[in-house]
């Protein structure tokens, strides 16, 4: 059984890491079983049983390529050097998607895997699933069924198209089940398994105890606001970016603000000459590595973001989060978790943020099956189906 998992952009790495680990564990178990069948638990006749040989390979498309957006995540998450690196880099959507498809087709023709696993909603996700399906190779989509119902978001198009052609749809939260059912996807393909990104969080949380990032930034736990922004709808337009700069400046009068800047956001802040308008109490940093970033999330008084993953991580950790978007594809973080969706109006965001800084807390709970075992469930389903 040959399987290729695809990673491309930063949020993919922490979703594939637990899947990689689950395959490694299974391989070890199977090797043991092959060497000594009597160790097989609960098997009636073990003499003729040979567990399948599993080869799990990783393909990195190179959609994200900076050391701080990619390499450091591989190191920290314990991922091996990818077996294939397509090196596509940036470009327009069509250019990037086409380059990934052409590079990945060669890999598939050489390797002929039985299955391709794609995660999330980035351009690499749709590009690789489409390439695989055209070669009649099965596709599993991890994080299927999420919908923002905003088709202006490139990710929404990637989600819908990937789900439509996938053979296994692994769902993170209940809204995903309803969405896929509504779209007429066969129920036998859909599996509610929980959240692989939370698998990584649970696995690496103990490492945050050793992180020195708060000292390095000279900030105190529960006494700063963490900001991340990178959606085209928030950072590509000059007027919106001015609004965002004003909002962050106003929050920095009350608390220290930590703002790790995504490459897209940095380019635009520089282009519109806004970076110099951010005031002193704002700590601007390069993109931050995984363990340090988890440490920052865990200890922040408030997070202001437009990221998908951070809405989930803050919900798991019970940290107050304000999402500057008009919709979320992760409604469980609002319905059950600590996330508040405030839309695109910066004044509303400011009011909500000030309420939190004045002591308001939205109570939350952890959504079902966000228990650190999602990747094990996925591997179990794939191997036994
Ligand atoms: C992509 C995903 C988005 C995800 C985000 C996480 C799509 C459509 N979007 O958006 O869903 O939330 O990743 O970060 O797939 N760049 C660098 N260095 C890098 C990576 C990117 O300089 O390592 C530059 C690119 O050249 C480009 C810009 O940043 O100019 C944006 O990169 P791109 O891959 O197009 O999309 P993201 O905005 O990162």
């Amino acid at each position: 059984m040959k399987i290729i998992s695809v990673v491309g952009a930063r949020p993919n790495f922490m979703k594939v890491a637990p899947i990689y680990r689950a395959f490694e564990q299974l391989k070890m178990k199977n090797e043991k079983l092959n060497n000594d069948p009597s160790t097989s638990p609960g098997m009636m006749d073990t003499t003729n049983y040979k567990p399948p040989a599993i080869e799990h390979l990783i393909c990195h498309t190179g959609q994200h390529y900076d050391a701080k957006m990619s390499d450091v995540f591989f190191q920290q998450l314990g991922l091996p050097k990818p077996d294939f690196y397509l090196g596509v880099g940036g470009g327009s959507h069509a250019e990037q998607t086409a380059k990934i498809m052409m590079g990945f087709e060669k890999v598939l023709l050489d390797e002929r895997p039985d299955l391709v696993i794609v995660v999330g909603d980035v351009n690499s996700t749709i590009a690789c699933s489409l390439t695989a399906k055209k070669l009649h190779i099965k596709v599993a989509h991890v994080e299927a069924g999420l919908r923002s119902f905003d088709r202006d978001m490139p990710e929404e198009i990637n989600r819908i198209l990937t789900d439509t052609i996938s053979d296994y749809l692994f769902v993170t939260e209940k809204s995903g089940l309803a969405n896929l059912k509504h779209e007429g996807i066969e129920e036998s393909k859909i599996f509610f398994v929980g959240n692989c990104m939370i698998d990584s969080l649970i696995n690496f949380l103990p490492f945050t105890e050793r992180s020195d990032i708060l000292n390095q930034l000279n900030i105190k736990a529960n006494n700063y606001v963490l900001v991340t922004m990178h959606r085209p709808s928030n950072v590509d337009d000059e007027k919106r970016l001015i609004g965002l700069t004003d909002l962050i400046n106003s929050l920095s009068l009350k608390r220290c603000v930590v703002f790790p800047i995504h490459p897209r956001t940095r380019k635009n802040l520089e282009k519109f000459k806004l970076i110099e308008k951010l005031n002193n109490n704002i700590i601007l940093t390069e993109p931050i590595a995984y363990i340090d970033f988890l440490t920052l999330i865990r200890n922040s008084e408030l997070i202001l973001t437009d990221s998908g993953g951070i809405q989930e991580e803050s919900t798991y950790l019970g940290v107050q989060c304000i999402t500057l978007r008009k919709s979320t594809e992760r409604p469980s973080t609002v319905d059950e978790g600590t996330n508040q969706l405030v839309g695109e109006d910066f004044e509303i965001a400011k009011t909500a943020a000030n309420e939190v800084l004045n002591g308001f807390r939205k109570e939350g709970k952890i959504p079902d099956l966000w228990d650190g075992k999602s990747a094990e469930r996925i591997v179990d389903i794939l191997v036994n189906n």
Side-chain angles (χ1 to χ4, degrees):
M1 192 175 181
K2 191 189 267 192
I3 297 169
I4 300 184
S5 286
V6 174
V7 291
R10 184 169 59 176
N12 295 161
F13 307 132
M14 38 295 229
K15 292 168 196 166
V16 165
I19 295 174
Y20 163 76
R21 255 197 330 276
F23 274 119
E24 285 299 294
Q25 275 161 10
L26 183 67
K27 271 197 263 178
M28 271 169 12
K29 207 168 104 193
N30 286 354
E31 270 163 30
K32 216 166 144 198
L33 213 65
N34 270 325
N35 294 336
D36 179 8
S38 66
T39 55
S40 155
M43 216 168 266
M44 289 204 297
D45 178 7
T46 54
T47 34
N48 293 323
Y49 178 73
K50 282 254 173 263
I54 292 165
E55 192 179 4
H56 177 248
L57 303 167
I58 295 179
C59 178
H60 187 338
T61 65
Q63 179 176 345
H64 283 179
Y65 45 87
D66 284 354
K68 288 189 168 121
M69 296 292 283
S70 173
D71 303 5
V72 68
F73 286 85
F74 266 73
Q75 288 152 20
Q76 293 202 337
L77 291 161
L79 280 166
K81 190 167 172 280
D83 300 279
F84 314 98
Y85 185 72
L86 307 182
V88 299
S92 71
H93 282 267
E95 210 179 330
Q96 196 175 52
T97 310
K99 277 199 224 155
I100 298 170
M101 288 184 73
M102 286 163 72
F104 194 52
E105 187 177 50
K106 288 201 187 88
V107 172
L108 293 180
L109 289 172
D110 286 348
E111 296 294 326
R112 285 280 161 195
D114 302 289
L115 177 79
V116 166
I117 301 180
V118 295
V119 299
D121 55 16
V122 302
N123 286 343
S124 301
T125 312
I126 177 58
C128 291
S129 48
L130 189 51
T131 311
K133 280 313 283 183
K134 295 263 176 150
L135 293 172
H136 304 153
I137 296 166
K138 290 212 153 111
V139 171
H141 183 206
V142 173
E143 206 181 88
L146 296 181
R147 296 288 180 270
S148 65
F149 302 102
D150 174 1
R151 291 199 178 194
D152 286 338
M153 283 181 80
E155 294 84 358
E156 183 74 351
I157 306 300
N158 295 343
R159 289 180 202 117
I160 295 169
L161 297 182
T162 304
D163 284 345
T164 307
I165 57 174
S166 288
D167 301 279
Y168 298 87
L169 294 98
F170 294 116
V171 174
T172 53
E173 62 162 76
K174 285 186 186 137
S175 70
L177 295 174
N179 294 335
L180 293 175
K181 198 169 166 199
H182 179 71
E183 287 171 24
I185 307 264
E186 248 175 77
E187 276 190 45
S188 61
K189 295 181 178 173
I190 305 171
F191 304 88
F192 180 36
V193 292
N195 192 324
C196 282
M197 180 168 242
I198 300 299
D199 287 8
S200 272
L201 188 158
I202 292 172
N203 192 50
F204 289 97
L205 205 55
F207 293 80
T208 62
E209 303 292 344
R210 280 186 257 149
S211 164
D212 188 43
I213 189 73
L214 299 190
N215 279 336
Q216 283 170 31
L217 299 179
N218 198 16
I219 50 175
K220 290 205 168 53
N222 292 316
N223 199 27
Y224 61 90
V225 178
L226 179 63
V227 176
T228 82
M229 290 290 152
H230 74 279
R231 297 270 160 215
S233 60
N234 275 329
V235 305
D236 283 3
D237 175 67
E238 183 174 8
K239 242 166 96 188
R240 281 203 65 70
L241 209 49
I242 292 173
L244 181 68
T245 311
D246 290 345
L247 172 64
I248 301 174
N249 275 339
S250 101
L251 293 180
S252 75
L253 301 177
K254 299 206 156 165
R255 293 291 188 283
C256 174
V257 174
V258 180
F259 186 12
I261 312 188
H262 184 281
R264 170 190 286 280
T265 312
R266 178 176 288 279
K267 275 183 199 168
N268 288 328
L269 281 170
E270 283 167 359
K271 182 166 131 197
F272 303 130
K273 302 202 180 338
L274 291 169
I275 218 147
E276 48 267 38
K277 300 231 163 94
L278 290 167
N279 73 25
N280 283 341
N281 207 21
I282 300 169
I283 303 173
L284 295 179
T285 76
E286 294 288 307
I288 291 181
Y290 185 59
I291 309 275
D292 282 344
F293 195 72
L294 278 187
T295 312
L296 284 176
I297 295 184
R298 184 183 195 176
N299 289 295
S300 54
E301 186 176 0
L302 168 67
I303 298 173
L304 207 64
T305 192
D306 60 6
S307 147
I310 295 171
Q311 294 175 53
E312 297 183 332
E313 289 164 332
S314 55
T315 273
Y316 182 86
L317 293 167
V319 172
Q320 299 299 303
C321 178
I322 290 177
T323 299
L324 257 172
R325 284 174 44 188
K326 52 184 188 214
S327 59
T328 178
E329 62 288 338
R330 292 158 160 93
S332 71
T333 62
V334 177
D335 300 340
E336 302 177 74
T338 48
N339 186 23
Q340 296 185 59
L341 193 64
V342 295
E344 291 187 332
D345 184 324
F346 292 116
E347 277 310 309
I348 297 177
K350 194 159 128 187
T351 308
N354 282 329
E355 278 172 6
V356 173
L357 298 181
N358 288 332
F360 168 78
R361 285 189 65 77
K362 180 173 190 273
E363 296 302 329
K365 74 178 200 43
I366 297 172
D368 286 350
L369 296 189
W370 290 18
D371 59 0
K373 298 196 172 78
S374 305
E376 284 169 37
R377 288 185 197 104
I378 289 172
V379 168
D380 193 48
I381 291 164
L382 290 176
V383 172
N384 293 313
N385 271 273

PDB file of all heavy atoms in Angstrom, residues 15-34:
ATOM      1  N   LYS A  15      -0.945  19.467  10.284  1.00  0.00           N
ATOM      2  CA  LYS A  15      -2.009  18.476  10.059  1.00  0.00           C
ATOM      3  C   LYS A  15      -1.425  17.159   9.556  1.00  0.00           C
ATOM      4  O   LYS A  15      -1.962  16.094   9.840  1.00  0.00           O
ATOM      5  CB  LYS A  15      -3.024  19.028   9.042  1.00  0.00           C
ATOM      6  CG  LYS A  15      -3.805  20.210   9.601  1.00  0.00           C
ATOM      7  CD  LYS A  15      -4.602  20.979   8.563  1.00  0.00           C
ATOM      8  CE  LYS A  15      -4.998  22.332   9.142  1.00  0.00           C
ATOM      9  NZ  LYS A  15      -5.491  23.272   8.138  1.00  0.00           N
ATOM     10  N   VAL A  16      -0.337  17.245   8.787  1.00  0.00           N
ATOM     11  CA  VAL A  16       0.254  16.008   8.255  1.00  0.00           C
ATOM     12  C   VAL A  16       1.158  15.333   9.290  1.00  0.00           C
ATOM     13  O   VAL A  16       1.285  14.106   9.294  1.00  0.00           O
ATOM     14  CB  VAL A  16       1.000  16.295   6.927  1.00  0.00           C
ATOM     15  CG1 VAL A  16       1.926  15.154   6.538  1.00  0.00           C
ATOM     16  CG2 VAL A  16      -0.018  16.523   5.810  1.00  0.00           C
ATOM     17  N   ALA A  17       1.749  16.120  10.201  1.00  0.00           N
ATOM     18  CA  ALA A  17       2.678  15.526  11.177  1.00  0.00           C
ATOM     19  C   ALA A  17       2.048  14.363  11.966  1.00  0.00           C
ATOM     20  O   ALA A  17       2.648  13.289  12.065  1.00  0.00           O
ATOM     21  CB  ALA A  17       3.214  16.601  12.124  1.00  0.00           C
ATOM     22  N   PRO A  18       0.828  14.522  12.518  1.00  0.00           N
ATOM     23  CA  PRO A  18       0.281  13.375  13.265  1.00  0.00           C
ATOM     24  C   PRO A  18      -0.089  12.194  12.355  1.00  0.00           C
ATOM     25  O   PRO A  18      -0.036  11.040  12.795  1.00  0.00           O
ATOM     26  CB  PRO A  18      -0.973  13.942  13.943  1.00  0.00           C
ATOM     27  CG  PRO A  18      -1.277  15.216  13.266  1.00  0.00           C
ATOM     28  CD  PRO A  18      -0.011  15.723  12.661  1.00  0.00           C
ATOM     29  N   ILE A  19      -0.408  12.481  11.093  1.00  0.00           N
ATOM     30  CA  ILE A  19      -0.720  11.383  10.159  1.00  0.00           C
ATOM     31  C   ILE A  19       0.568  10.592   9.880  1.00  0.00           C
ATOM     32  O   ILE A  19       0.579   9.359   9.874  1.00  0.00           O
ATOM     33  CB  ILE A  19      -1.324  11.949   8.852  1.00  0.00           C
ATOM     34  CG1 ILE A  19      -2.674  12.610   9.174  1.00  0.00           C
ATOM     35  CG2 ILE A  19      -1.485  10.867   7.796  1.00  0.00           C
ATOM     36  CD1 ILE A  19      -3.316  13.332   8.019  1.00  0.00           C
ATOM     37  N   TYR A  20       1.649  11.340   9.674  1.00  0.00           N
ATOM     38  CA  TYR A  20       2.952  10.683   9.473  1.00  0.00           C
ATOM     39  C   TYR A  20       3.270   9.789  10.675  1.00  0.00           C
ATOM     40  O   TYR A  20       3.647   8.636  10.535  1.00  0.00           O
ATOM     41  CB  TYR A  20       4.030  11.763   9.268  1.00  0.00           C
ATOM     42  CG  TYR A  20       5.437  11.263   9.466  1.00  0.00           C
ATOM     43  CD1 TYR A  20       6.050  10.479   8.481  1.00  0.00           C
ATOM     44  CD2 TYR A  20       6.141  11.543  10.631  1.00  0.00           C
ATOM     45  CE1 TYR A  20       7.339  10.000   8.669  1.00  0.00           C
ATOM     46  CE2 TYR A  20       7.428  11.074  10.815  1.00  0.00           C
ATOM     47  CZ  TYR A  20       8.020  10.300   9.838  1.00  0.00           C
ATOM     48  OH  TYR A  20       9.289   9.826  10.026  1.00  0.00           O
ATOM     49  N   ARG A  21       3.071  10.338  11.872  1.00  0.00           N
ATOM     50  CA  ARG A  21       3.388   9.575  13.088  1.00  0.00           C
ATOM     51  C   ARG A  21       2.522   8.324  13.215  1.00  0.00           C
ATOM     52  O   ARG A  21       2.999   7.257  13.570  1.00  0.00           O
ATOM     53  CB  ARG A  21       3.182  10.451  14.329  1.00  0.00           C
ATOM     54  CG  ARG A  21       4.466  10.932  14.941  1.00  0.00           C
ATOM     55  CD  ARG A  21       4.318  11.434  16.358  1.00  0.00           C
ATOM     56  NE  ARG A  21       3.049  12.016  16.682  1.00  0.00           N
ATOM     57  CZ  ARG A  21       2.704  13.285  16.447  1.00  0.00           C
ATOM     58  NH1 ARG A  21       3.580  14.093  15.875  1.00  0.00           N
ATOM     59  NH2 ARG A  21       1.512  13.729  16.776  1.00  0.00           N
ATOM     60  N   ALA A  22       1.245   8.473  12.872  1.00  0.00           N
ATOM     61  CA  ALA A  22       0.334   7.326  12.983  1.00  0.00           C
ATOM     62  C   ALA A  22       0.747   6.224  11.992  1.00  0.00           C
ATOM     63  O   ALA A  22       0.687   5.035  12.320  1.00  0.00           O
ATOM     64  CB  ALA A  22      -1.104   7.772  12.731  1.00  0.00           C
ATOM     65  N   PHE A  23       1.196   6.605  10.795  1.00  0.00           N
ATOM     66  CA  PHE A  23       1.672   5.593   9.844  1.00  0.00           C
ATOM     67  C   PHE A  23       2.956   4.935  10.347  1.00  0.00           C
ATOM     68  O   PHE A  23       3.146   3.734  10.199  1.00  0.00           O
ATOM     69  CB  PHE A  23       1.909   6.218   8.460  1.00  0.00           C
ATOM     70  CG  PHE A  23       0.659   6.257   7.612  1.00  0.00           C
ATOM     71  CD1 PHE A  23       0.139   7.460   7.165  1.00  0.00           C
ATOM     72  CD2 PHE A  23       0.006   5.076   7.252  1.00  0.00           C
ATOM     73  CE1 PHE A  23      -1.017   7.504   6.392  1.00  0.00           C
ATOM     74  CE2 PHE A  23      -1.144   5.111   6.480  1.00  0.00           C
ATOM     75  CZ  PHE A  23      -1.662   6.329   6.044  1.00  0.00           C
ATOM     76  N   GLU A  24       3.843   5.728  10.941  1.00  0.00           N
ATOM     77  CA  GLU A  24       5.090   5.156  11.473  1.00  0.00           C
ATOM     78  C   GLU A  24       4.773   4.123  12.553  1.00  0.00           C
ATOM     79  O   GLU A  24       5.358   3.048  12.584  1.00  0.00           O
ATOM     80  CB  GLU A  24       5.969   6.271  12.080  1.00  0.00           C
ATOM     81  CG  GLU A  24       6.653   7.147  11.072  1.00  0.00           C
ATOM     82  CD  GLU A  24       7.594   6.384  10.160  1.00  0.00           C
ATOM     83  OE1 GLU A  24       8.605   5.856  10.649  1.00  0.00           O
ATOM     84  OE2 GLU A  24       7.296   6.291   8.950  1.00  0.00           O
ATOM     85  N   GLN A  25       3.818   4.471  13.429  1.00  0.00           N
ATOM     86  CA  GLN A  25       3.464   3.541  14.510  1.00  0.00           C
ATOM     87  C   GLN A  25       2.896   2.244  13.941  1.00  0.00           C
ATOM     88  O   GLN A  25       3.216   1.152  14.379  1.00  0.00           O
ATOM     89  CB  GLN A  25       2.427   4.178  15.436  1.00  0.00           C
ATOM     90  CG  GLN A  25       3.086   5.045  16.501  1.00  0.00           C
ATOM     91  CD  GLN A  25       2.111   6.026  17.130  1.00  0.00           C
ATOM     92  OE1 GLN A  25       0.902   5.935  16.905  1.00  0.00           O
ATOM     93  NE2 GLN A  25       2.622   6.961  17.893  1.00  0.00           N
ATOM     94  N   LEU A  26       2.042   2.399  12.915  1.00  0.00           N
ATOM     95  CA  LEU A  26       1.437   1.220  12.305  1.00  0.00           C
ATOM     96  C   LEU A  26       2.508   0.354  11.636  1.00  0.00           C
ATOM     97  O   LEU A  26       2.482  -0.874  11.738  1.00  0.00           O
ATOM     98  CB  LEU A  26       0.390   1.667  11.271  1.00  0.00           C
ATOM     99  CG  LEU A  26      -0.374   0.550  10.614  1.00  0.00           C
ATOM    100  CD1 LEU A  26      -1.273  -0.160  11.627  1.00  0.00           C
ATOM    101  CD2 LEU A  26      -1.234   1.080   9.470  1.00  0.00           C
ATOM    102  N   LYS A  27       3.455   1.027  10.973  1.00  0.00           N
ATOM    103  CA  LYS A  27       4.522   0.265  10.311  1.00  0.00           C
ATOM    104  C   LYS A  27       5.306  -0.543  11.336  1.00  0.00           C
ATOM    105  O   LYS A  27       5.618  -1.703  11.123  1.00  0.00           O
ATOM    106  CB  LYS A  27       5.472   1.239   9.581  1.00  0.00           C
ATOM    107  CG  LYS A  27       5.032   1.529   8.161  1.00  0.00           C
ATOM    108  CD  LYS A  27       6.153   2.134   7.361  1.00  0.00           C
ATOM    109  CE  LYS A  27       6.042   3.632   7.327  1.00  0.00           C
ATOM    110  NZ  LYS A  27       7.067   4.340   6.631  1.00  0.00           N
ATOM    111  N   MET A  28       5.600   0.094  12.477  1.00  0.00           N
ATOM    112  CA  MET A  28       6.354  -0.599  13.519  1.00  0.00           C
ATOM    113  C   MET A  28       5.563  -1.798  14.041  1.00  0.00           C
ATOM    114  O   MET A  28       6.102  -2.873  14.235  1.00  0.00           O
ATOM    115  CB  MET A  28       6.676   0.367  14.663  1.00  0.00           C
ATOM    116  CG  MET A  28       7.985   1.063  14.395  1.00  0.00           C
ATOM    117  SD  MET A  28       8.423   2.451  15.416  1.00  0.00           S
ATOM    118  CE  MET A  28       7.375   2.534  16.748  1.00  0.00           C
ATOM    119  N   LYS A  29       4.272  -1.574  14.228  1.00  0.00           N
ATOM    120  CA  LYS A  29       3.421  -2.651  14.735  1.00  0.00           C
ATOM    121  C   LYS A  29       3.405  -3.816  13.735  1.00  0.00           C
ATOM    122  O   LYS A  29       3.527  -4.973  14.098  1.00  0.00           O
ATOM    123  CB  LYS A  29       2.003  -2.091  14.936  1.00  0.00           C
ATOM    124  CG  LYS A  29       1.195  -2.811  15.995  1.00  0.00           C
ATOM    125  CD  LYS A  29      -0.060  -2.056  16.346  1.00  0.00           C
ATOM    126  CE  LYS A  29      -1.263  -2.706  15.710  1.00  0.00           C
ATOM    127  NZ  LYS A  29      -2.467  -1.901  15.748  1.00  0.00           N
ATOM    128  N   ASN A  30       3.268  -3.469  12.457  1.00  0.00           N
ATOM    129  CA  ASN A  30       3.198  -4.507  11.430  1.00  0.00           C
ATOM    130  C   ASN A  30       4.509  -5.272  11.305  1.00  0.00           C
ATOM    131  O   ASN A  30       4.508  -6.480  11.094  1.00  0.00           O
ATOM    132  CB  ASN A  30       2.821  -3.893  10.072  1.00  0.00           C
ATOM    133  CG  ASN A  30       1.352  -3.504  10.032  1.00  0.00           C
ATOM    134  OD1 ASN A  30       0.614  -3.804  10.968  1.00  0.00           O
ATOM    135  ND2 ASN A  30       0.925  -2.846   8.980  1.00  0.00           N
ATOM    136  N   GLU A  31       5.621  -4.533  11.437  1.00  0.00           N
ATOM    137  CA  GLU A  31       6.920  -5.211  11.348  1.00  0.00           C
ATOM    138  C   GLU A  31       7.055  -6.230  12.471  1.00  0.00           C
ATOM    139  O   GLU A  31       7.508  -7.346  12.274  1.00  0.00           O
ATOM    140  CB  GLU A  31       8.063  -4.190  11.442  1.00  0.00           C
ATOM    141  CG  GLU A  31       8.475  -3.659  10.075  1.00  0.00           C
ATOM    142  CD  GLU A  31       9.282  -2.372  10.189  1.00  0.00           C
ATOM    143  OE1 GLU A  31       9.984  -2.193  11.207  1.00  0.00           O
ATOM    144  OE2 GLU A  31       9.181  -1.549   9.256  1.00  0.00           O
ATOM    145  N   LYS A  32       6.617  -5.812  13.647  1.00  0.00           N
ATOM    146  CA  LYS A  32       6.684  -6.695  14.808  1.00  0.00           C
ATOM    147  C   LYS A  32       5.836  -7.955  14.553  1.00  0.00           C
ATOM    148  O   LYS A  32       6.240  -9.074  14.831  1.00  0.00           O
ATOM    149  CB  LYS A  32       6.133  -5.950  16.027  1.00  0.00           C
ATOM    150  CG  LYS A  32       6.844  -6.284  17.314  1.00  0.00           C
ATOM    151  CD  LYS A  32       6.482  -5.279  18.367  1.00  0.00           C
ATOM    152  CE  LYS A  32       6.382  -5.948  19.710  1.00  0.00           C
ATOM    153  NZ  LYS A  32       5.642  -5.162  20.664  1.00  0.00           N
ATOM    154  N   LEU A  33       4.679  -7.695  13.973  1.00  0.00           N
ATOM    155  CA  LEU A  33       3.741  -8.783  13.690  1.00  0.00           C
ATOM    156  C   LEU A  33       4.317  -9.737  12.651  1.00  0.00           C
ATOM    157  O   LEU A  33       4.167 -10.950  12.737  1.00  0.00           O
ATOM    158  CB  LEU A  33       2.457  -8.148  13.150  1.00  0.00           C
ATOM    159  CG  LEU A  33       1.149  -8.811  13.477  1.00  0.00           C
ATOM    160  CD1 LEU A  33       0.912  -8.743  14.964  1.00  0.00           C
ATOM    161  CD2 LEU A  33       0.020  -8.076  12.759  1.00  0.00           C
ATOM    162  N   ASN A  34       4.998  -9.165  11.652  1.00  0.00           N
ATOM    163  CA  ASN A  34       5.608 -10.003  10.613  1.00  0.00           C
ATOM    164  C   ASN A  34       6.722 -10.863  11.175  1.00  0.00           C
ATOM    165  O   ASN A  34       6.902 -11.999  10.791  1.00  0.00           O
ATOM    166  CB  ASN A  34       6.176  -9.121   9.491  1.00  0.00           C
ATOM    167  CG  ASN A  34       5.126  -8.877   8.423  1.00  0.00           C
ATOM    168  OD1 ASN A  34       4.321  -9.756   8.143  1.00  0.00           O
ATOM    169  ND2 ASN A  34       5.131  -7.698   7.844  1.00  0.00           N
TER     170      ASN A  34
END
